[in-house]
Every structure is written in structure tokens, then in C-alpha cells.
Amino acid sequence: MFSYCTDPDTLDRIRWFSCYLTTGVHMNFYKSFGTVLLLLAVTAPVALAFGFIGAIAARSSILAISLLGRTYTAMVRGVPDIAYFLFFVIALDQALEWVKHRVVCPDWTEPVRQGANFLVCPAAKIPMGNAPQAIHEAYGFAIAVFTFAIVFGAFASNVLYGAMRSVPRAQLETAEAYGMTRRQSFWRILVPQMWVYALPGLSNLWMVLVKATPLLFLLGVEDIVYWARELGGTKTPRFTDYPHGDWRMWYFLGLLVFYLALTRVSEIGLERLMRRLTHGQATAGGDALRREGPA
Amino acid sequence: MKHLLLGTAALALTATMALAQDVVRMGTEGAYPPYNFINDAGEVDGFERELGDELCARAELTCEWVTNDWDSIIPNLTSGNYDTIIAGMSITEEREKVIDFTQNYYPPTASRYMALSDDADLEGGVVAAQTNTIQAGHVAETGATLLEFATPDETVAAVRSGEADAVFADSDFLLPIAEENDAGLKLVGEPVPLGGGIGLGLRESDTELKAKFDAAITSMKEDGSLNELLIKWFGEDTSTF
């Protein structure tokens, strides 16, 4: 990175670290922080959407849809996250390839399953075998986001379902008295007011999601945990210009600080959001705001 | 989300059209110097990187390097995430049942114990080895208590911290560490010959690719360039073809 980095052995401590921390492999480490933040940024809204759909389904007056919504929550909530992650990533990948295989290679006669191998025709591989590495990584990441969203959507669905039932019945009765249809009272009265009841549960979920991001490593995405372990391991002088002992503790300490900082930022953000949502609500929090005087 | 997936699939399709020639994806671990490791620039480096690039050049293949955890390196080959395993994997009968190997590009060698003192109890003590390796299999058969780790680095760290009495691994992996002699680590006990050398792992259905790599390895053995590579990465004393 810097011009004086050509011979690290001769450098004083500060310069040595300035070179060491800017090697290509460290740049990959820093990029993986972006991967984690991107995962959070994409997964949270998608999971919320899944949760919302699940909650609406569970509330449905049509039995089949209601059952579907409830089964989704019950199934995902009951299975350990890790089991779900490992199962879903493989199953989803194979299901997609199998469907594509059926479409693009109808003449393929060999069985798809041959012992341990899952072999679809080359044209049905997702991503294609000769696609650049970036595509493979993007695909892996997309599968990971989808899996996270399915799992956390189930929890969000339960939270939102509860929140929808917590909105005072009097509010909906008033809406009906004004002649609103079911759909109108749902979107205009129920949904805007339910968030204040949902937020404590959702904020909890957000924190769990933040803590769950190291599972990315299990899904084959090179995330911060992978790089911390790789970089922290002992390095002998023959294979690197920057030999060092077992520094895993320091790297994991860095991760600890990162996650704690992320938690603190989230807490501040969620607190502000809660204050906004409480405003004018018929809850104890809303009452407290009213007593404080006009905002 | 559906759109994102479809979008990725579409992207993959268009990328295919742009790249007419076949790309062979080389799967490695990236944590087992000098065989394979991630260098300071963040790229795969080591004996197998240099060998793999040369084999691909001789077989006229375009190759791309991918890293994968050792633990899941065979399942990810069979499910098609990459096309070869080139990760210091010894040819054994058990693995032959699941995948195919090319002829060996690294002769059968010995595995060694490394410990902090000469009188470490190798037969009855705690011995660290990497999960799913022939070394782990060997330790399980001796009287020693096997302590398994996911990465090679962790097995050595366990000896440094005193968690294990010794580590059992390929001698070429342990040699550079013992030569460093930091914290007093040294090779102990007798070398144990294990495995049938190291080869490239391939899916059993990829017979054509296997033939190409076999031919390339033969040509490197014949003109002596493989021996040069072996000596370059493993030193003068290493066994050659």
C-alpha cells in the first residue's frame, strides 16, 4: 500500500502495522464488514415483508390461507436456526437446479441423483459452471439472504400477528361506524397503529438478526468471522512478509467491538423510532408524551 | 426476493454467453501452507496454485480458484460448486468410493508428530489432527485421544496452548513451523507413512476432465518440471518422482 512497505522487516512498529493492516488480504477482511452490513440492510426489509404476509395470512378468514400462515410460523420457529440454514441452502439450490434442469434439458436421460452426486445437465447449473467467481458469490449471498429472510420472517410474522390483535377494538369499531370496509379499516386504522405494539418485538428480532450474521460463515460466504480466523492464525515467515503469532484473540476482540458498536447504534435508532411511533397513541407511552407537552 | 433470484439467474445466463470457453473451477482450502494458502495480497498461493496453473495451461483449460472449508470440500465438489479438489488431499480407498482421483502429483509421504517436548505421550496422550483427514483416522486407531479441529492452524495452536500433547499432520506442513522453532515446537517420534500420495479430486462422472489432468500430470512428470516444483516448495529433501 505505502511506498515504504517493500521490506517490512526493517520497519518500526507503527509503520509495520500501517503496512500490515493494508495488505490485500486485510482489504478482503474490511470488505467482508460491508457484506455483513449489506446482509442486514437487505434481509431486514425482506424478512419484514415475509412477516407481514405471514401475519395477514394467519388472520385470514379463509381457513386454508390461515392454516398456511400458521404452519409457516410454527414450522420455522420450531426448528433450530442452524439446522434450517444448512438444510435450506442445499435444498433450495437443488430445487432451483432441478426445475431449471426439467425446463432446459428435457431429453436428459441420466438420473439426477447418482449416489452422493446431484447432477443436472451442464446448462441447468445455477450459476453456470463457467460463470465468473463474482456471480457465484452473488448467488451464494442471495441464497443466504433468502434463507435469513424465511427464518426471521417467521418470527416477525408472529410479532406482527400479535401486534394486529393488540390495537384496541374500539378503534376498529369507530372505523366501522364511519362506514369503512374491512380493507379500508385494515390499511387506514389497524396497520398504522399496530407498529407501536410490534416495535418491542421487532427490535428484539433485529438484535437477534445482528447476532446471527456470523451464520453466513456456515453458508459458505466469506464473512468477518472467516477472515478473522484466517488472518489471526499463526503466520510463518516463509509464506508471508508479515509473520506473527496466534493473534486470533485480537481479531475476535475487534469483531466484539464491531458488534457492540452496531448494537449501540441500533439501540439509539430504535429508541428514536419508538418515540415517533408512540406519539399520539392510546398507550401508556403515548400518555407520557402528551404530559410532556406539545412536541 | 424472487426478483433478486431471477435477476441473478438471468445475470448468470448472460455471463455464460459472453464466456464461450469452459471454465474449470479449482477448489482448495487456502489454509495449508506450503500446499495452498492465502498470500498477503489475498490470493490463493502455494505449491498447488503453481502446479494447478501449469496443469491448466498444459491441458488448455481456463481455471478459476475457489476456496472452501476443508470440512465440506467433498460434498461441495459432488454438488457441483467447483470441478476439482486440489487441496493436499491424499488418495485413500474411502474417498475413492465417493469421488475420483487423478494419478498422484505428490508422492506418498510420511506424516509426523509435532510436540513441545521429546517425551510427549504419542500413544496415550491427547493428539490434535484436522477433521476428516487420514491423520485423524490414524490417531483414532492408536491409543491416543483424538482432538479434532476444523483448520490446520487450530491443530498447531492447540499444542502451543497445551490443550493437546502433540499434533499429527503431513510432515511438509509441520516442517516450516518446526524450523521456526517458536515456542519450542519440534518434530517428535517416527514418521508414519500414510495414504497413496496426493491427487486431484474430481466427480466420478467427469472422466474427460480427469483424462486431461492425468495427461498433464504425466507430461510434467516426464519433463521433470513437477520435481522442480516439489523441490521449490518442499525443499531439497522432499521425495520426488
Side-chain angles (χ1 to χ4, degrees):
Chain A
M1 179 94 183
F2 304 107
S3 52
Y4 52 82
C5 288
T6 41
D7 192 7
D9 289 343
T10 59
L11 297 174
D12 59 81
R13 184 171 285 227
I14 292 171
R15 284 186 163 205
W16 189 89
F17 270 102
S18 73
C19 291
Y20 172 69
L21 292 174
T22 51
T23 54
V25 71
H26 272 87
M27 290 301 163
N28 288 345
F29 179 47
Y30 305 141
K31 267 185 229 153
S32 64
F33 281 92
T35 310
V36 168
L37 293 176
L38 185 69
L39 175 91
L40 286 171
V42 180
T43 306
V46 177
L48 197 60
F50 276 28
F52 197 75
I53 294 166
I56 294 177
R59 275 172 56 91
S60 170
S61 50
I62 304 163
L63 184 69
I65 298 181
S66 167
L67 268 179
L68 206 68
R70 282 163 208 261
T71 316
Y72 165 54
T73 7
M75 217 172 69
V76 179
R77 292 199 325 153
V79 177
D81 283 0
I82 294 189
Y84 221 93
F85 277 105
L86 293 177
F87 162 77
F88 212 88
V89 169
I90 300 170
L92 190 67
D93 185 45
Q94 295 195 348
L96 285 174
E97 287 194 347
W98 187 78
V99 170
K100 193 177 168 199
H101 174 79
R102 273 305 172 85
V103 175
V104 293
C105 307
D107 310 325
W108 195 261
T109 48
E110 283 171 54
V112 170
R113 281 202 181 281
Q114 301 177 16
N117 294 10
F118 180 86
L119 290 170
V120 290
C121 65
K125 290 237 67 102
I126 305 176
M128 302 293 282
N130 51 5
Q133 178 61 9
I135 302 279
H136 283 268
E137 277 169 17
Y139 176 71
F141 185 76
I143 291 264
V145 166
F146 189 71
T147 312
F148 267 96
I150 290 261
V151 171
F152 283 87
F155 289 96
S157 161
N158 213 42
V159 169
L160 292 178
Y161 182 70
M164 285 176 186
R165 293 170 63 118
S166 303
V167 174
R169 173 77 193 126
Q171 296 280 335
L172 296 175
E173 244 169 32
T174 315
E176 280 160 23
Y178 271 94
M180 287 191 192
T181 61
R182 247 181 89 95
R183 179 181 295 259
Q184 280 175 329
S185 65
F186 177 77
W187 287 108
R188 295 185 190 177
I189 309 296
L190 185 72
V191 172
Q193 291 195 67
M194 74 168 187
W195 294 111
V196 67
Y197 302 101
L199 196 63
L202 289 181
S203 66
N204 232 350
L205 264 185
W206 166 259
M207 291 315 209
V208 178
L209 177 63
V210 168
K211 289 205 306 179
T213 49
L215 285 171
L216 270 179
F217 177 50
L218 273 183
L219 305 184
V221 178
E222 289 179 350
D223 79 322
I224 49 181
V225 181
Y226 166 84
W227 283 114
R229 197 180 70 176
E230 162 68 29
L231 291 168
T234 311
K235 298 275 182 283
T236 44
R238 264 186 62 191
F239 308 116
T240 171
D241 292 336
Y242 306 94
H244 60 73
D246 191 347
W247 284 2
R248 278 178 302 174
M249 196 181 87
W250 302 110
Y251 278 93
F252 285 120
L253 186 69
L255 295 196
L256 193 111
V257 171
F258 169 72
Y259 277 111
L260 278 179
L262 199 56
T263 308
R264 187 71 201 122
V265 171
S266 307
E267 271 177 1
I268 295 170
L270 288 166
E271 207 168 299
R272 284 198 185 155
L273 191 61
M274 189 65 191
R275 214 183 142 80
R276 251 185 92 100
L277 289 175
T278 313
H279 193 77
Q281 290 280 352
T283 60
D287 259 1
L289 275 185
R290 262 189 289 283
R291 271 196 299 277
E292 271 177 33
Chain B
M1 190 56 228
K2 211 164 141 199
H3 287 108
L4 195 58
L5 277 178
L6 283 177
T8 324
L11 212 61
L13 275 174
T14 43
T16 314
M17 289 164 204
L19 275 165
Q21 82 267 40
D22 255 3
V23 175
V24 176
R25 289 162 58 78
M26 312 278 273
T28 190
E29 187 191 11
Y32 204 51
Y35 297 91
N36 58 74
F37 59 96
I38 308 287
N39 65 15
D40 289 335
E43 288 156 0
V44 176
D45 201 342
F47 165 69
E48 282 167 334
R49 172 69 202 249
E50 214 171 309
L51 172 78
D53 284 345
E54 179 62 27
L55 290 179
C56 289
R58 288 185 186 219
E60 290 172 355
L61 300 164
T62 314
C63 292
E64 192 154 18
W65 290 84
V66 192
T67 50
N68 195 89
D69 256 4
W70 175 259
D71 237 3
S72 57
I73 207 161
I74 291 183
N76 275 328
L77 173 76
T78 54
S79 68
N81 288 356
Y82 35 80
D83 306 304
T84 69
I85 295 175
I86 173 159
M89 185 176 275
S90 300
I91 303 166
T92 65
E93 265 177 44
E94 273 134 51
R95 287 176 184 146
E96 292 264 26
K97 284 177 194 155
V98 190
I99 57 173
D100 264 2
F101 283 99
T102 61
Q103 59 171 309
N104 59 13
Y105 56 77
Y106 184 96
T109 48
S111 299
R112 298 293 304 258
Y113 287 96
M114 185 169 71
L116 287 169
S117 74
D118 285 320
D119 50 338
D121 187 0
L122 305 179
E123 293 295 316
V126 179
V127 177
Q130 191 180 10
T131 317
N132 290 332
T133 56
I134 48 172
Q135 287 85 11
H138 176 80
V139 173
E141 281 165 20
T142 66
T145 309
L146 172 64
L147 195 57
E148 288 184 301
F149 291 94
T151 62
D153 180 61
E154 285 169 303
T155 61
V156 178
V159 180
R160 282 206 183 88
S161 67
E163 205 180 333
D165 298 321
V167 49
F168 188 51
D170 280 315
S171 58
D172 282 315
F173 167 69
L174 295 177
L175 261 173
I177 303 168
E179 276 166 12
E180 260 328 277
N181 198 25
D182 71 311
L185 286 169
K186 53 189 150 191
L187 297 179
V188 296
E190 289 304 307
V192 186
L194 282 181
I198 293 171
L200 251 85
L202 297 131
R203 279 183 294 273
E204 286 176 333
S205 51
D206 280 349
T207 44
E208 206 178 310
L209 189 63
K210 185 184 159 191
K212 280 185 188 169
F213 275 118
D214 265 332
I217 295 172
T218 308
S219 86
M220 283 189 75
K221 278 181 178 171
E222 278 169 359
D223 67 12
S225 52
L226 183 55
N227 285 346
E228 277 170 35
L229 266 189
L230 284 166
I231 289 167
K232 175 185 170 191
W233 285 98
F234 301 107
E236 289 289 340
D237 301 332
T238 195
S239 35
T240 52
F241 288 101

